[in-house]
Every structure is written in structure tokens, then in C-alpha cells.
């Protein structure tokens, strides 16, 4: 498989198929990041499109020294999500409190079935709901580390904060998330 | 000196990610194993991390990549071959519909008596003829079905009439645990029963032949 950096170089020379390959390779990652932040598939889809549009326009500013294309992509996505969060928070200042908190979509059945996929889906919904109750700083740290699997140094680059702060946020986020899940009655699996 | 609850909480992620030194890990465990507050916390966070890491990525909306490419590269000429539709058709909602349509077409095809290539004329494509043909085929199929059910009923009747006449014989021949308790059947009664049953069966067979005669 061709490296991302080579694909970027080909994109900069105007190679359409190279861009198509980059998009197809990273769509799932970007979409999931957006979904975990917004808890809404429609918003996540729109934001993913925005992310790639921004990436396409600023591709020339990408440097391999930055720490790999996925890290840069995550960083751009995160910045856009922060903008989106601020924008939506401003828009919702007059809304009711329950509207401000991210709400998990009603796409998961509340009925437990013995099917493994259904159980995994329910757990995913519960985690998503619990993530929505975390503060944005802790939430993004947890998503990047435990759901996107980024290294501490990559998170440090994406969030532009010292490594000590990254570790502290992740640790606090995990404890807080476990407490919320406990309160929600999510037992051992 | 053993660690405090605050220290254990602060270094919990390091412990779970195996980033503590041997000495630190020993201190951590010494406190966590004996503290009624920290022990459940460690177990809880450890379990939650396992759940988080086991979570699968959410499925991406099917047209998302295409939308992104359309927005960036502009509307592209579709370069699909006929095989590219296979994954789309393989999805349950399309596959179910497709199978239903095919089954319906097959039923209609059979109901109209099929298409005979050698005798195919323009009139065969006339909707009126197709409907008339389907109608007559449907009536024919219904009549055949009714006849089949009636025949089946007669066969069952014959069987049930024959059963009392024939079932007595093996019962008598079968070895019994207490043969002395069984009374031998009245021979004349049995003969009368057999004769009567055969007469009824003969009448039924005659009746069936009359009915099935064109």
C-alpha cells in the first residue's frame, strides 16, 4: 500500500486518483471522530465533508515533519470540531439545558437481545451517551487516546498542549467516564 | 511508605498501561489491594477501558466518500462496470426485493404457460391475451388442486375403511404377555366386518372412477 506522504505528493501534482485513495482510506477515521464528538450521524457526515474540503484546500501546507498524515488530519478535524462546538453552543444559548447536551440518536433498540452485535451496539450507545456528559477537554482526550488509538505525542501535537496535561486529562477522563457508566448501570461485560 | 488514595488515582492510567516502574507498581498494588475505595475504582476503570478498546468503529454512510470526492474533484464520470453493482444488490433490503420480484415473475411465467419460442407471435405480447391466458391457467391450476384434494380424501377414506378389517389380524398374531387373558374373536363377526368393508371400498372406488371420468 502506498504511503500517505507519497499520495499527498501525487495530489499536489494534480493526481485525482491519489486524492480519491486518500479520501477512501481516511473517511472512516474522520467520520468516527466527528461522530464521537457530536453523537449525531448527520452532523458527523456534514463535518466529515467539511474536514476533507479543508484538507483539500490546505494540502500544500502539510509537512511530513508534522508527524504523519493521520495526525495532521486528526488535528484539522479536531480544530473544526472545536469551531463547530463553539458555534453550536452559541446557537443553543437560549435553548433548554437538555438540548445543549449531546444526545445519542434513537437508532439503538433499548431491548437487549442475545445477539453479540446488538450488545456491542448498545454498549457503543451507552459509551457515546456517557462521553456526552464529560467536559469537552476530557472528552476529546479520551476519544483521541482510547477510541482513535493515538499516541501521547500525537495527542500532544493535535491538542497543542504539554504531554503532562495530556496524560492528566486522559487519566481524569477515564475515571470520570467510569463513574458515569457506573451511574448509568453499565455493568461488567 | 505506602501510597495514598490520591497518588493511586493520579497514577491509575500509568498502572493500567504498564508504565510504572517495578517499585511504583509494588506501592500501587499494596495500596489498591487493601483500600476499599481504590480497589473497586481500579477494577471499574480497567473494565471500562477494555470495553472502550473493544468498541468497533461506526459504519460510514455509504455515499460519504463519493460526496466528498464530488465536492473536491467535481462531479466525476462514473467508471462502473456491471460487477460494481453486486455489493449494492447484495445488501439484505435489495436482495429481498430482488428475490420477491424474481419469484413473482416466475409464478406469472408459469401461470401463463411459459413462452414457446417456436410459436411466439405479436399477439402473445398483448396484455389482454396475457391476462386471459393467466386467468385460464389459474383456473386450471385451481381445478387440478381441487381434484387432487378430493382424490386424496377418497384414498384416506379407503384406507380408514380397510384399517378395521386388516388391523385385527396382526393384533392376533402378535405375541402377547398374557395370551390366556385374550378372548379369541368371533370368526363369523370378523368375516361379516371384512365383507362389509370390502363392499364399501368397492363402491367408493367405483364412485371415484365415475367422478374422474371425463
Amino acid at each position: 500500500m502506498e504511503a500517505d506522504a507519497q499520495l499527498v505528493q501525487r495530489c499536489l501534482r494534480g493526481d485525482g486518483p491519489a486524492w480519491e485513495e486518500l479520501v477512501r482510506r481516511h473517511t472512516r477515521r474522520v467520520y468516527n471522530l466527528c461522530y464521537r464528538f457530536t453523537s449525531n450521524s448527520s452532523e458527523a457526515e456534514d463535518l466529515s465533508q467539511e474536514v476533507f474540503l479543508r484538507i483539500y484546500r490546505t494540502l500544500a501546507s502539510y509537512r511530513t515533519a508534522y508527524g504523519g498524515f493521520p495526525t495532521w488530519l486528526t488535528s484539522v478535524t479536531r480544530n473544526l470540531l472545536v469551531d463547530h462546538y463553539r458555534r453550536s453552543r452559541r446557537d443553543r444559548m437560549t435553548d433548554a439545558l437538555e438540548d445543549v447536551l449531546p444526545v445519542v440518536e434513537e437508532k439503538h433498540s433499548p431491548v437487549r437481545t442475545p445477539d453479540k452485535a446488538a450488545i456491542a451496539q448498545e454498549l457503543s450507545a451507552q459509551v457515546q451517551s456517557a462521553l456526552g456528559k464529560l467536559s469537552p477537554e476530557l472528552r476529546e482526550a479520551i476519544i483521541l487516546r482510547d477510541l482513535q488509538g493515538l499516541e501521547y505525542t500525537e495527542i500532544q501535537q493535535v491538542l497543542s498542549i504539554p504531554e503532562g496535561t495530556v496524560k492528566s486529562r486522559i487519566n481524569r477522563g477515564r475515571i470520570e467516564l467510569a463513574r458515569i457508566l457506573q451511574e448509568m448501570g453499565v455493568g461488567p461485560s | 511508605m505506602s501510597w495514598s488514595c490520591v497518588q493511586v488515582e493520579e497514577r491509575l492510567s500509568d498502572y493500567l498501561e504498564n508504565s510504572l516502574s517495578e517499585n511504583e507498581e509494588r506501592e500501587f498494588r499494596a495500596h489498591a489491594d487493601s483500600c476499599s475505595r481504590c480497589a473497586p475504582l481500579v477494577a471499574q476503570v480497567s473494565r471500562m477501558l477494555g470495553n472502550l478498546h473493544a468498541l468497533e468503529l461506526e459504519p460510514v454512510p455509504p455515499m460519504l466518500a463519493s460526496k466528498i470526492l464530488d465536492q473536491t474533484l467535481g462531479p466525476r464520470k462514473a467508471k462502473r462496470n456491471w460487477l460494481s453493482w453486486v455489493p449494492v444488490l447484495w445488501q439484505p433490503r435489495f436482495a429481498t426485493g430482488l428475490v420477491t420480484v424474481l419469484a413473482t415473475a416466475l409464478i406469472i411465467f408459469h401461470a401463463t404457460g411459459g413462452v414457446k419460442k417456436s410459436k411466439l407471435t405479436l399477439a402473445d405480447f398483448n396484455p389482454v391475451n396475457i391476462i386471459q391466458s393467466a386467468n385460464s391457467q389459474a383456473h386450471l391450476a385451481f381445478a387440478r388442486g381441487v381434484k387432487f384434494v378430493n382424490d386424496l380424501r377418497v384414498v384416506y377414506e379407503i384406507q380408514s375403511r380397510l384399517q378395521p378389517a386388516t388391523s385385527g389380524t396382526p393384533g392376533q398374531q402378535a405375541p402377547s404377555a398374557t395370551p390366556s387373558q385374550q378372548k379369541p374373536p368371533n370368526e363369523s363377526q370378523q368375516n361379516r366386518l371384512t365383507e362389509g368393508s370390502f363392499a364399501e371400498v368397492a363402491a367408493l372406488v367405483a364412485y371415484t372412477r365415475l367422478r374422474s371420468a371425463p
Side-chain angles (χ1 to χ4, degrees):
Chain A
M1 194 165 69
E2 198 172 352
D4 287 338
Q6 288 173 319
L7 285 174
V8 171
Q9 289 307 313
R10 279 175 54 198
C11 289
L12 291 174
R13 290 196 295 269
D15 189 339
W19 171 248
E20 190 170 341
E21 173 62 26
L22 265 183
V23 169
R24 295 200 187 280
R25 197 179 284 184
H26 296 287
T27 305
R28 198 167 191 197
R29 181 194 189 87
V30 170
Y31 173 79
N32 268 271
L33 192 54
C34 294
Y35 177 74
R36 290 297 175 197
F37 267 96
T38 60
S39 300
N40 182 304
S41 59
S42 173
E43 263 182 78
E45 194 175 346
D46 291 346
L47 283 165
S48 303
Q49 291 180 54
E50 252 184 85
V51 168
F52 278 102
L53 208 59
R54 190 177 284 188
I55 290 285
Y56 187 73
R57 285 173 186 156
T58 57
L59 203 57
S61 68
Y62 167 68
R63 300 284 176 274
T64 47
Y66 187 83
F69 183 76
T71 310
W72 185 60
L73 185 63
T74 307
S75 184
V76 172
T77 309
R78 185 258 172 187
N79 290 339
L80 208 133
L81 285 166
V82 169
D83 289 348
H84 171 75
Y85 174 76
R86 286 180 184 147
R87 207 165 50 226
S88 57
R89 193 175 55 173
R90 212 173 33 243
D91 292 345
R92 290 168 177 173
M93 282 296 274
T94 52
D95 291 355
L97 184 64
E98 59 266 28
D99 294 334
V100 180
L101 296 169
V103 177
V104 180
E105 288 178 338
E106 293 292 328
K107 70 175 186 179
H108 304 289
S109 166
V111 181
R112 274 183 183 273
T113 66
D115 184 25
K116 272 186 180 177
I119 292 169
Q121 205 176 39
E122 190 179 344
L123 179 66
S124 176
Q126 285 165 333
V127 167
Q128 188 64 39
S129 178
L131 278 171
K133 290 172 184 166
L134 282 181
S135 70
E137 290 85 15
L138 300 186
R139 192 195 319 165
E140 67 182 359
I142 292 293
I143 289 172
L144 293 175
R145 176 67 183 164
D146 293 326
L147 292 174
Q148 294 275 315
L150 265 63
E151 296 296 328
Y152 284 116
T153 48
E154 290 174 319
I155 300 171
Q156 186 188 339
Q157 283 181 321
V158 169
L159 301 182
S160 304
I161 51 174
E163 192 174 340
T165 313
V166 171
K167 284 189 169 183
S168 164
R169 282 187 189 176
I170 289 169
N171 193 48
R172 279 192 291 133
R174 284 172 175 171
I175 293 170
E176 185 68 8
L177 191 63
R179 190 187 58 76
I180 294 169
L181 285 168
Q182 181 81 3
E183 282 174 4
M184 288 169 65
V186 179
S189 62
Chain B
M1 192 186 80
S2 180
W3 282 11
S4 66
C5 291
V6 176
Q7 276 176 302
V8 164
E9 202 170 293
E10 279 176 354
R11 304 299 302 276
L12 181 52
S13 285
D14 288 333
Y15 170 73
L16 293 171
E17 292 179 353
N18 295 318
S19 304
L20 293 178
S21 68
E22 270 184 40
N23 192 34
E24 285 174 329
E25 191 174 338
R26 205 167 33 247
E27 294 290 341
F28 184 97
R29 290 194 70 101
H31 176 89
D33 289 348
S34 60
C35 177
S36 60
R37 181 182 165 274
C38 294
L41 178 74
V42 174
Q44 208 175 315
V45 175
S46 168
R47 197 168 56 227
M48 182 214 64
L49 264 189
N51 282 339
L52 280 190
H53 294 163
L55 280 184
E56 286 182 9
L57 289 174
E58 290 288 317
V60 179
M63 298 303 287
L64 179 57
S66 299
K67 283 180 189 171
I68 292 166
L69 291 171
D70 283 347
Q71 280 187 359
T72 48
L73 298 176
R76 293 151 311 121
K77 195 178 174 183
K79 51 169 187 180
R80 292 169 184 262
N81 56 20
W82 69 276
L83 278 174
S84 65
W85 289 99
V86 172
V88 179
L89 293 176
W90 194 241
Q91 289 177 7
R93 53 184 150 176
F94 290 115
T96 315
L98 195 67
V99 168
T100 312
V101 168
L102 285 176
T104 312
L106 199 68
I107 290 165
I108 292 172
F109 182 77
H110 274 284
T112 53
V115 178
K116 296 176 185 66
K117 278 183 187 174
S118 55
K119 295 177 183 174
L120 202 64
T121 59
L122 201 62
D124 288 332
F125 296 100
N126 189 342
V128 176
N129 290 343
I130 290 173
I131 290 167
Q132 276 179 349
S133 172
N135 189 31
S136 65
Q137 287 289 335
H139 277 89
L140 197 63
F142 180 74
R144 280 177 185 159
V146 169
K147 186 176 176 300
F148 178 75
V149 170
N150 281 338
D151 289 351
L152 213 57
R153 202 169 59 196
V154 170
V155 168
Y156 281 137
E157 277 182 31
I158 290 171
Q159 273 184 341
S160 63
R161 296 293 167 104
L162 281 173
Q163 212 162 10
T166 53
S167 61
T169 317
Q172 283 169 359
Q173 286 172 351
S176 172
T178 55
S180 58
Q181 291 174 357
Q182 286 186 348
K183 287 182 182 176
N186 189 328
E187 206 171 300
S188 60
Q189 272 182 358
Q190 192 191 349
N191 286 342
R192 274 206 303 276
L193 182 67
T194 313
E195 281 165 16
S197 300
F198 276 126
E200 284 177 7
V201 169
L204 271 170
V205 170
Y207 170 73
T208 314
R209 282 186 183 161
L210 272 173
R211 274 186 59 127
S212 57

